[in-house]
DNA sequence: CTTGAACCTCAAGTGGCTTTAACTCGTATG
DNA sequence: CATACGAGTTAAAGCCACTTGAGGTTCAAG
């Protein structure tokens, strides 16, 4: 009657069963009661907590950050400002990665454009686009790109 | 006289020595000659190839993609169009991730704003921002956010 | 000759799961 | 009642692209 099996919990939270077991293993989810036959049984509490966890993960928070955020939900005496600080730190990371990717977009689309311009008649030994990538020239990367892409994802 | 030791190669290509050994191990770099005493000796060819590899990696190409791109540099009969195709595929990935991150930025900054608005006087039991994340409501995520963030990085 | 930095190899750790293998359990049908 | 099948169980390995650590050797300077 009451209680979901792992498959039901997975479906409700758009998670996979192995992921749920993994979260249990790393202590992110509690170890649930077992029914006869050793199968896990979950309740609505678990649905809520896992929904929360998955949503945080979708937002790109690390497991460790999620761990902290989840503990804040429990402890109402801290909560909001601390959560905001974590979210703000994460926001800074997201924005940094965003800048990186935008620079990357410029570089790679420039590379593609160069290829198209120089090799119109198909492949040939005159192609220089690739060679330019192995030149240790002064900071300039792909022709037309002046952004430093930094370290990519 | 001629030949760089691994540290010199690392410095010239802004790589670490372990990474160079790792690239050798996975067959991305050739196995270099050894001097007396078993230390690796590299030449300018290696500097060029590794520069190329690192630049591709900075552009976010996977090791496998780099492997192909590097082989294209060797084989001039294919080269340009094939390289462009790889770059174009990668560009599509970068743009997809870019869209994801932009949606994420909106969601998280909305969350931070909610925290700031609702918990002006410091932490308290009235904070609801966190709770909203565990509600299994209809598609809406963080208040003020109507984008589907999808799967994060 | 001694020191200490740089080199060597091999193995394990990182994050966040996914996949595989080999097993048991629960239920529906013949 | 036998059996087939899906869903559950565990433990361990695999993924990516490195990084880190342990423990030993070589090289160049003083």
């Amino acid at each position: 009657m009451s209680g979901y099996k792992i498959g039901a919990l997975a479906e409700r939270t758009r998670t996979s069963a192995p992921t749920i077991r993994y979260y249990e293993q790393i202590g992110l989810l509690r170890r649930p009661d077992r029914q006869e036959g050793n199968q896990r049984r979950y309740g609505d509490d678990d649905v809520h907590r896992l929904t929360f966890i998955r949503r945080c993960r979708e937002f790109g928070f690390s497991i460790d950050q999620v761990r902290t955020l989840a503990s804040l939900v429990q402890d109402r005496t801290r909560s909001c400002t601390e959560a905001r600080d974590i979210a703000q730190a994460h926001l800074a990371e997201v924005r940094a990665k965003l800048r990186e990717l935008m620079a990357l977009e410029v570089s790679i689309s420039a590379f593609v454009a160069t290829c198209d311009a120089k090799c119109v008649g198909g492949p040939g030994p005159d192609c220089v686009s690739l060679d330019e990538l192995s030149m240790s020239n002064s900071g300039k990367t792909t022709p037309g790109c002046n952004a430093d892409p930094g370290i990519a994802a």
Side-chain angles (χ1 to χ4, degrees), chain A:
Chain A
M1 23 229 83
S2 101
Y4 315 104
K5 290 200 276 186
I6 198 167
L9 178 60
E11 199 173 356
R12 268 159 204 271
T13 57
R14 292 184 219 86
T15 313
S16 73
T19 298
I20 293 173
R21 293 193 198 98
Y22 168 72
Y23 284 168
E24 179 185 326
Q25 192 191 320
I26 64 172
L28 193 53
L29 288 177
R30 70 187 186 85
R31 272 185 286 176
D33 297 337
R34 304 293 185 116
Q35 67 176 100
E36 307 272 325
N38 202 32
Q39 301 195 349
R40 292 168 178 81
R41 277 290 146 124
Y42 297 96
D44 288 321
D45 288 2
D46 300 297
V47 175
H48 278 99
R49 184 173 170 99
L50 186 49
T51 301
F52 175 82
I53 290 168
R54 290 310 289 178
R55 200 152 289 161
C56 288
R57 293 289 301 128
E58 277 171 11
F59 283 177
F61 288 99
S62 71
I63 292 281
D64 254 17
Q65 286 175 318
V66 175
R67 219 186 279 275
T68 307
L69 288 171
S71 81
L72 290 180
V73 177
Q74 241 72 343
D75 180 358
R76 307 320 306 260
T77 65
R78 298 146 67 220
S79 201
C80 216
T81 47
E82 220 171 313
R84 189 209 47 198
D85 291 347
I86 293 172
Q88 215 152 40
H90 180 49
L91 185 55
E93 283 168 29
V94 167
R95 285 180 172 152
K97 183 132 283 181
L98 210 45
R99 279 192 296 274
E100 253 176 41
L101 277 185
M102 282 172 359
L104 222 53
E105 209 256 60
V106 171
S107 299
I108 300 173
S109 60
F111 176 82
V112 171
T114 308
C115 279
D116 279 341
K118 296 197 176 166
C119 303
V120 188
D126 298 331
C127 172
V128 290
S129 319
L130 279 172
D131 287 330
E132 286 171 11
L133 285 177
S134 49
M135 304 305 257
S136 43
N137 53 6
S138 52
K140 209 164 185 318
T141 50
T142 294
C145 163
N146 52 7
D148 177 2
I151 294 161

